[in-house]
Amino acid sequence: MRMKLSNFHIVDQWFNKVAQRPSLVVTLSVLWLMLIGWIGYGWNLGNVGLVDETEPLFAEASRQMFVTGDWITPFFNGVTRFDKPALIYWCQALAYSIIGVNEWAVRLPSAIAAIAVISLAFYTVQWHLAKQDAAEQIQRPTRRYVTAAIAAAVMALNPEMIVWGRTGVSDMLLTGCIASALLCFFLGYASKTGSRESGVGSGGEVTPLPTSHSLLPNKWYLACYVLIAGAILTKGPVGIVLPGIVILAFLLYLGKFREVMREMRAFVGVLIIFALAVPWYALVIWHNGWNYINSFFGYHNIDRFTEVVNGHSAPWYFYFLVVLLGFAPYSVYLPAAFVRLKFWQRSQWQSQERSQQLGLFAVVWFLGVFGFFTIAVTKLPSYVLPLMPAAAILIALLWSDCFPTTSASSSRTPQKLFWFSGWANVVLFSALSVAMFQITQLLGTDQAAPNFRQTLENSGVTELGGYIWLLTAISVAFLIITRRWQGIIGVNLLGFVAFLIVVLMPAMFLMDQERQMPLREISAVLSQVKQPNEEIVMVGFKKPSVVFYSHQQVNFIKLTSEAVVYIKNQINTPPKSHSLLVLAEHRNLVRIDLQPDDYENLASKGAYQLIRISFKKMQPQKQDISIVPEQKSHRIIQET
């Protein structure tokens, strides 16, 4: 590939000077990781309210642990919550103890997990390229550090990682544990040379590690085992199944299974994993018996893999679309990254030094996770989150070929791969631009935020998003035409950051204002007006954020007809309290045929209304409440 080498001279000279000062290298690396970490995961992390429905479930279960001191059994709304193991709850509860019970504490474990795996990936890519330079007896600090910076930035700044890294659920913690475990495995595997093990520092220097006669494996393998135990405590068996599949496939492909299992001290590793992960499972089963076994291992693990759970079904090509959009805009370069590596040439990979097999390992990692969840029957976009770090490494290694080299043996990406991928990149940006200009027409109606579409259109952020993607498409096209391939990834990153800052963040605040703020305001009223023993009933929808913000238990009733029956039963039986608090959307509340004297309107926020039904007033009158016919309900809404 013909490159304009003169473009590199000034930058290359600067990196050569920096590389001679290790402390400056570390400082600049940390600053870069802090910058992309703050943009992706720190900025406004806790300034947006919890998003229903999943996030408040985790937040409240963690708050219950923090308040009650029961660190074994998770509870939500007064009942056990066996969906996920305890590590995410422990992390959030620990954050509560440090910074208080708030949105920042809920999301901090996810953000830290994301930044941690991004930082480890930066180190791994830099380490891999340093070993390559040492083998070829040349120094290319520009290529080494810029490629590592690209890997970290691409990993940090993509939709899938940002969404789950800014959400207080277990998915990013699981990804952080699994991805970090796999990176630690590779570092431990690649550090092995002959009968001894050695590590390479940031400058390429060799440092000895324990000999092969040691009872314990090297420090990277130990870290891998600890992180796998963390993954098991985050989401169960998948925490060992996924890294196990990747490591097993990688070693079998290279024919090194027995050799590496011996050096990993696999039996000792299993003991370490069990010693860290099993005690909590033993305690929670001891406390809850078969209820936990059937719910967690049966329903939330076996059933999710073998059948559709909660209606989360999707066609076989679902994850192709998830990767295309969730890893956008870099996803269009993944085919080129795969082809570049020629991973099907097994003998060539077997003959390479271990430290030079990072590309193959990333391929196996990506395909292992992708294939596993494609086979699984229940499908969700978050399931393939653990493959995003591998995808970012593949993209970074692809771009490492854009740096000049004196080595004839080094892999050079064919120009045609960049050309086709680049134009696919332009098409993707153009499609995103058109979609942003038409987004208000494409959006459906959300009953919880009926005015959001109009509010979004009035804000003008969608048009700005359209122009950002259009300008990015034009810039990439210009770089392709002028064959300045090395600048394309920078334009992709800048375009995504601009879209995040100018469009996504303001849109998040608008959505929060329309969809979640009314619930927080209602929750504040609930915590003030609720009387002793007075029950709270939520009719027609389930919003767990009310439980978290009000610190009160809520009885969720799905259908209005069921609510009518429930209220009748409360009237006809001696109640614990003389009143009942009912929270419902306006359209559902008017369908319950209550007389004006039967209830007190306490608050009306957004689409929601909070009332208090008085049983004292209704019993003497022997009210026969019923569901108002649809036509009549429309008339009542108009009158109110």
Side-chain angles (χ1 to χ4, degrees):
M1 182 190 300
R2 296 182 59 188
M3 306 295 294
K4 299 183 179 180
L5 301 180
S6 58
N7 294 336
F8 291 94
H9 290 338
I10 297 176
V11 175
D12 198 43
Q13 290 176 2
W14 184 81
F15 271 100
N16 281 323
K17 292 179 180 179
V18 170
Q20 297 173 6
R21 302 173 60 184
S23 60
L24 183 57
V25 170
V26 172
T27 300
L28 292 176
S29 300
V30 171
L31 288 175
W32 174 250
L33 293 171
M34 288 175 62
L35 175 64
I36 60 176
W38 178 254
I39 292 174
Y41 308 97
W43 181 42
N44 285 323
L45 178 67
N47 294 337
V48 177
L50 301 184
V51 180
D52 284 304
E53 295 177 357
T54 306
E55 192 177 31
L57 295 174
F58 285 87
E60 176 61 14
S62 302
R63 192 187 71 83
Q64 286 298 313
M65 275 194 176
F66 176 63
V67 171
T68 64
D70 183 352
W71 297 84
I72 303 301
T73 304
F75 284 89
F76 172 80
N77 203 31
V79 297
T80 54
R81 172 171 164 79
F82 295 148
D83 296 42
K84 301 295 181 290
L87 186 58
I88 181 63
Y89 305 125
W90 293 344
C91 292
Q92 289 179 336
L94 178 62
Y96 290 158
S97 68
I98 297 172
I99 62 176
V101 180
N102 53 53
E103 293 87 350
W104 284 91
V106 173
R107 294 165 179 156
L108 195 59
S110 296
I112 291 175
I115 294 172
V117 72
I118 290 163
S119 302
L120 184 57
F122 176 93
Y123 172 82
T124 304
V125 171
Q126 185 276 140
W127 183 92
H128 158 74
L129 295 176
K131 288 287 286 181
Q132 188 178 86
D133 288 353
E136 297 177 9
Q137 297 183 343
I138 57 176
Q139 286 294 324
R140 294 173 291 186
T142 304
R143 176 175 179 264
R144 190 162 76 240
Y145 289 110
V146 171
T147 302
I150 289 172
V154 170
M155 195 179 300
L157 303 172
N158 65 76
E160 185 90 352
M161 288 286 287
I162 284 179
V163 166
W164 300 110
R166 300 178 69 94
T167 305
V169 296
S170 61
D171 296 272
M172 183 52 73
L173 185 59
L174 175 71
T175 296
C177 289
I178 288 178
S180 297
L182 290 172
L183 290 172
C184 286
F185 162 79
F186 178 80
L187 288 168
Y189 163 83
S191 296
K192 178 79 172 176
T193 305
S195 62
R196 294 184 62 84
E197 300 166 357
S198 61
V200 178
S202 60
E205 68 278 3
V206 178
T207 56
L209 293 175
T211 67
S212 59
H213 300 292
S214 172
L215 176 64
L216 296 176
N218 69 38
K219 61 183 180 182
W220 293 113
Y221 287 145
L222 282 174
C224 174
Y225 294 138
V226 172
L227 288 163
I228 288 175
I232 295 172
L233 284 171
T234 300
K235 223 166 186 179
V238 72
I240 193 171
V241 170
L242 279 186
I245 288 173
V246 174
I247 293 171
L248 179 65
F250 176 71
L251 296 179
L252 288 176
Y253 186 76
L254 291 174
K256 295 180 180 292
F257 177 74
R258 290 185 179 179
E259 174 189 346
V260 176
M261 285 295 104
R262 284 195 298 268
E263 72 186 49
M264 286 182 72
R265 312 289 191 272
F267 179 73
V268 175
V270 171
L271 292 180
I272 292 172
I273 293 171
F274 273 63
L276 294 174
V278 168
W280 175 80
Y281 283 97
L283 288 172
V284 76
I285 292 173
W286 180 39
H287 285 196
N288 300 278
W290 283 101
N291 288 335
Y292 182 81
I293 295 173
N294 293 331
S295 177
F296 179 72
F297 291 105
Y299 180 75
H300 289 290
N301 282 272
I302 297 174
D303 288 356
R304 282 180 181 270
F305 191 82
T306 58
E307 59 187 74
V308 177
V309 171
N310 295 334
H312 297 308
S313 63
W316 63 269
Y317 55 83
F318 174 69
Y319 289 123
F320 285 94
L321 299 178
V322 172
V323 172
L324 175 64
L325 299 178
F327 193 61
Y330 327 104
S331 52
V332 293
Y333 294 98
L334 283 173
F338 278 97
V339 172
R340 165 195 176 271
L341 292 169
K342 299 179 182 178
F343 60 90
W344 54 87
Q345 296 181 353
R346 186 185 181 201
S347 59
Q348 180 179 343
W349 283 104
Q350 288 176 323
S351 64
Q352 290 189 7
E353 292 289 335
R354 289 187 179 189
S355 61
Q356 300 313 300
Q357 294 170 348
L358 178 61
L360 177 65
F361 183 67
V363 169
V364 176
W365 177 351
F366 184 99
L367 295 178
V369 176
F370 190 92
F372 178 82
F373 286 114
T374 298
I375 294 172
V377 178
T378 298
K379 290 179 169 60
L380 285 171
S382 62
Y383 285 179
V384 292
L385 183 62
L387 65 75
M388 295 299 163
I393 291 172
L394 290 170
I395 296 300
L397 294 179
L398 172 69
W399 245 268
S400 70
D401 284 353
C402 288
F403 295 89
T405 179
T406 58
S407 173
S409 63
S410 60
S411 174
R412 310 304 296 158
T413 303
Q415 182 175 324
K416 286 185 179 180
L417 290 180
F418 273 116
W419 192 86
F420 284 115
S421 300
W423 284 115
N425 200 190
V426 173
V427 171
L428 176 62
F429 281 133
S430 301
L432 291 173
S433 177
V434 173
M436 288 307 302
F437 283 122
Q438 302 296 323
I439 191 68
T440 53
Q441 281 70 41
L442 297 175
L443 286 176
T445 302
D446 187 353
Q447 296 176 354
N451 301 321
F452 174 68
R453 186 164 60 178
Q454 187 62 45
T455 302
L456 187 65
E457 185 175 1
N458 294 340
S459 69
V461 296
T462 56
E463 292 185 3
L464 289 174
Y467 288 122
I468 287 172
W469 291 136
L470 180 60
L471 179 61
T472 308
I474 294 172
S475 300
V476 172
F478 172 77
L479 293 173
I480 295 171
I481 293 171
T482 57
R483 299 187 179 183
R484 299 178 181 178
W485 314 110
Q486 68 274 19
I488 294 176
I489 191 66
V491 170
N492 275 259
L493 288 167
L494 287 174
F496 185 85
V497 170
F499 185 77
L500 174 65
I501 294 173
V502 176
V503 180
L504 285 184
M505 197 60 67
M508 284 174 54
F509 279 104
L510 290 176
M511 174 60 83
D512 179 65
Q513 179 182 342
E514 292 289 329
R515 192 175 190 270
Q516 296 298 143
M517 187 178 290
L519 289 170
R520 294 199 298 273
E521 293 173 342
I522 289 282
S523 300
V525 174
L526 270 174
S527 60
Q528 294 174 359
V529 303
K530 183 180 180 298
Q531 299 173 359
N533 297 323
E534 190 173 33
E535 186 180 11
I536 304 171
V537 174
M538 187 179 291
V539 179
F541 61 93
K542 184 177 182 179
K543 301 295 182 183
S545 62
V546 174
V547 179
F548 176 79
Y549 286 111
S550 68
H551 298 178
Q552 304 292 338
Q553 291 187 18
V554 176
N555 183 5
F556 298 104
I557 299 180
K558 185 176 181 180
L559 301 176
T560 307
S561 57
E562 294 176 355
V564 169
V565 173
Y566 186 81
I567 295 172
K568 283 183 178 180
N569 292 336
Q570 292 295 307
I571 295 172
N572 298 326
T573 58
K576 296 180 180 179
S577 174
H578 296 295
S579 59
L580 178 72
L581 293 174
V582 177
L583 174 60
E585 294 176 349
H586 300 300
R587 63 188 185 88
N588 287 330
L589 196 58
V590 297
R591 296 191 64 198
I592 303 175
D593 194 11
L594 294 171
Q595 299 300 316
D597 294 336
D598 295 339
Y599 67 91
E600 176 189 1
N601 186 20
L602 300 177
S604 181
K605 305 290 183 181
Y608 309 104
Q609 189 168 352
L610 175 66
I611 66 171
R612 172 178 280 127
I613 296 177
S614 174
F615 297 140
K616 286 184 177 181
K617 295 180 179 179
M618 298 182 71
Q619 282 179 334
Q621 299 173 17
K622 296 183 180 180
Q623 296 289 345
D624 184 18
I625 61 173
S626 59
I627 299 179
V628 177
E630 194 68 28
Q631 242 182 356
K632 185 178 177 183
S633 70
H634 288 318
R635 178 173 57 80
I636 295 175
I637 293 174
Q638 291 176 355
E639 290 175 358
T640 56

